[in-house]
Amino acid sequence: MQIKKSITLFTLLFLLLTNVSSFGQNKISGNVTNENGEILPGATIQLEGASSITITDSKGQYTLNVNKPFPWTITVSYVGYVVKEFAITQAGTNHFRLVEIGTLGTITLLGTRGKPRTEVNRPVPIDVVQAKELQNTGQIELGQQLQFASPSFNSAKYGINGSLVYANYATLRGMGPDQLLVLVNGKRRHQFSIPHIGFSIARGSVVTDLNAIPFLAVEQTGILRDGASAQYGSDA
């Protein structure tokens, strides 16, 4: 009788351990290569039906630990290669091989950071910035709008009290603020009446107050670029 009870207890313990082990961590590892045997670093390995994702390292190797019983369906993907699914039935080493895409299908351009705003059919190259682009910067002053719209244009606020706080001193491609020529409808814009006395690049300069030009009245702004900007500046 005692032996029968021991056998029954052992059987129950064995079944319990088997059941617990089936819910333990299952692990697979290996590498991802192409059809020529070359490693693919940065390939994505995803377990279907779970949120478990891993990426191959610089040597094309991966390790995936998941608390899910087998069988698994693994999806392997890599840029320029055909996405492929693999069936995994047990833990261990599993190497995946992907096939390169022969020809790409239709390419759809969603957007670009570059804007074709440079006019080259002029004696000198000039960047034309439309009013809509200036307003999209979120700034309320023309000088600040141009700074956000053109990388070569810089308009800084120095925080000086008095009348100088109303005029921001702009520079173009490293030129002095008083060397910037501003034209409005082809006519030269008058300069500010007070010299700058702050300790900055504009010290002693008398410049053009761009913020006195209402940006809502500006249809477009042209900024000379490259070597041409060494002689002239911008036209609003």
Side-chain angles (χ1 to χ4, degrees):
M1 189 67 179
Q2 186 68 27
I3 298 176
K4 186 176 181 180
K5 290 183 179 180
S6 299
I7 295 175
T8 303
L9 182 60
F10 177 78
T11 304
L12 292 175
L13 182 60
F14 175 78
L15 293 176
L16 180 61
L17 292 176
T18 303
N19 189 41
V20 172
S21 63
S22 64
F23 289 96
Q25 288 286 338
N26 292 319
K27 175 182 177 182
I28 63 172
S29 60
N31 57 36
V32 179
T33 59
N34 60 13
E35 50 191 350
N36 298 323
E38 299 173 347
I39 62 173
L40 297 178
T44 302
I45 298 93
Q46 182 176 7
L47 175 59
E48 184 177 328
S51 59
S52 301
I53 299 177
T54 187
I55 299 176
T56 56
D57 57 18
S58 59
K59 298 180 180 179
Q61 298 177 350
Y62 76 93
T63 300
L64 185 61
N65 288 305
V66 182
N67 186 14
K68 181 180 179 180
F70 291 104
W72 293 354
T73 299
I74 297 293
T75 302
V76 184
S77 60
Y78 190 76
V79 178
Y81 288 78
V82 179
V83 179
K84 193 173 181 180
E85 292 184 351
F86 299 88
I88 307 299
T89 58
Q90 61 182 2
T93 302
N94 293 271
H95 301 306
F96 304 130
R97 178 169 293 186
L98 299 180
V99 179
E100 188 174 2
I101 299 175
T103 57
L104 294 176
T106 303
I107 299 177
T108 302
L109 184 63
L110 299 179
T112 177
R113 290 180 179 269
K115 297 181 179 180
R117 65 187 187 190
T118 300
E119 295 188 9
V120 295
N121 297 326
R122 293 193 180 191
V124 292
I126 183 172
D127 286 344
V128 178
V129 184
Q130 301 296 331
K132 186 65 175 179
E133 186 177 351
L134 294 177
Q135 297 176 19
N136 288 339
T137 61
Q139 303 298 314
I140 61 175
E141 297 177 343
L142 181 60
Q144 295 296 303
Q145 289 177 342
L146 292 175
Q147 173 173 307
F148 280 79
S150 177
S152 60
F153 188 93
N154 183 41
S155 178
K157 291 181 175 292
Y158 295 106
I160 300 177
N161 295 326
S163 59
L164 292 178
V165 75
Y166 298 104
N168 295 335
Y169 293 81
T171 61
L172 182 64
R173 295 189 177 274
M175 295 188 305
D178 54 349
Q179 297 174 328
L180 181 64
L181 175 63
V182 179
L183 304 177
V184 178
N185 294 331
K187 297 181 180 180
R188 182 167 184 159
R189 179 72 176 179
H190 61 78
Q191 293 181 322
F192 201 56
S193 59
I194 302 177
H196 183 67
I197 59 175
F199 292 93
S200 65
I201 188 176
R203 182 175 177 84
S205 300
V206 179
V207 299
T208 303
D209 182 13
L210 292 176
N211 294 332
I213 305 174
F215 71 89
L216 291 177
V218 176
E219 179 179 356
Q220 65 181 25
T221 302
I223 303 177
L224 292 174
R225 57 179 300 175
D226 301 331
S229 61
Q231 298 179 5
Y232 301 100
S234 62
D235 186 6

